[in-house]
Amino acid sequence: MAPVGAEGAVGAWTPTTGFPVPLTGMAVVAAKAHLYAIDGLSGAQSSLRYAPIGPDGNLGAWQDGPPLPIALNGAEGAVVAVLGEHLYATSGIGMISDRVFVCPLGTDGVPGAWTETLRMPQPRAAHRLAAAGNKLFAIGGIDGTQFGSTRDTVYIGDVAPSGQVTAWRVGPPLPERRSFGAAAVVDGMLVYLGGLSPFGDFAERLRADVFIAPLNQAGDPVAWRAAAPYPQATYGPGIAAAGRIVY
């Protein structure tokens, strides 16, 4: 953990409460004054663990939450987002799938049971999930048609107050096909960073591009445009937003 100053600068990192078991490839999100770790390679690849965040930022004890109905990861963790009172999880790189799962969060932050909601229009893996308002955004990724089938598609999921996805629609595509990037909503902008393009060897496929798409009054993204690139090409980054700052 590290403190973030008023001007957005990150302070010194210090250790806090560790996981009960070693994990790799998990997805981590924060909501309801809790940190949630979903999936991860530990032998229990459908796990949900959560810990309270104290006033000083330190974590309390980790607890086991309801497991996902199926393991979603493989070599990398499930693709996860938090929207309002719910967690959402889709497949990681090890499973190309269209399935979407939702988990309600209680007022005390305790997660309820996972249920399946409306599936994405097409199977995906190595895509990224972002959320804002009453929308989910599933961006890029690979499908199962052939090896290296990287996509530029953006699916918009309309979410009801119950947390269920009621419809998926196709939004403006990324300027280029991408997988293994990172996505977030920052100050009314949908942001996609880095990842892999579909052609060349691994080093040639690495990208530092940053694409942004403003959200209109309905919460849908409009046309993407290029922003200042990341300092270096990156594979599988994670990003998080705090106000108008992205980390």
Side-chain angles (χ1 to χ4, degrees), residues 37-41 43-48 65-74 76-80 88-92 94-103 113-117 119-120 123-124:
I38 299 99
D39 233 27
L41 297 179
Q45 295 177 17
S46 60
S47 63
L48 165 62
L68 283 154
I70 60 172
L72 291 174
N73 58 358
E76 303 217 357
V79 178
V80 174
Y88 296 85
T90 62
S91 58
M95 175 188 293
I96 298 175
S97 173
D98 58 0
R99 299 181 74 177
V100 181
F101 297 95
V102 57
C103 168
W114 293 91
T115 57
E116 189 167 0
T117 189
R119 297 188 178 199
M120 293 187 294
R124 288 289 183 270

Side-chain angles (χ1 to χ4, degrees), residues 104-238:
L105 301 176
T107 55
D108 56 359
V110 175
W114 293 91
T115 57
E116 189 167 0
T117 189
L118 186 67
R119 297 188 178 199
M120 293 187 294
Q122 296 291 329
R124 288 289 183 270
H127 58 296
R128 290 300 176 254
L129 204 62
N134 64 340
K135 304 281 196 277
L136 291 174
F137 308 104
I139 306 169
I142 58 177
D143 64 19
T145 56
Q146 63 183 34
F147 181 75
S149 51
T150 304
R151 298 302 176 194
D152 59 3
T153 48
V154 175
Y155 294 132
I156 304 169
D158 296 314
V159 180
S162 65
Q164 293 297 309
V165 180
T166 58
W168 287 98
R169 298 176 285 114
V170 178
L174 287 167
E176 299 176 15
R177 290 187 279 170
R178 287 286 186 274
S179 60
F180 295 100
V185 175
V186 185
D187 193 34
M189 296 276 185
L190 186 56
V191 178
Y192 187 91
L193 180 153
L196 296 179
S197 69
F199 304 112
D201 62 26
F202 185 78
E204 293 171 330
R205 295 173 65 194
L206 282 169
R207 289 292 180 267
D209 307 289
V210 176
F211 301 126
I212 61 174
L215 303 180
N216 62 22
Q217 289 186 343
D220 291 346
V222 296
W224 293 86
R225 67 177 187 267
Y230 195 64
Q232 63 185 37
T234 182
Y235 163 86

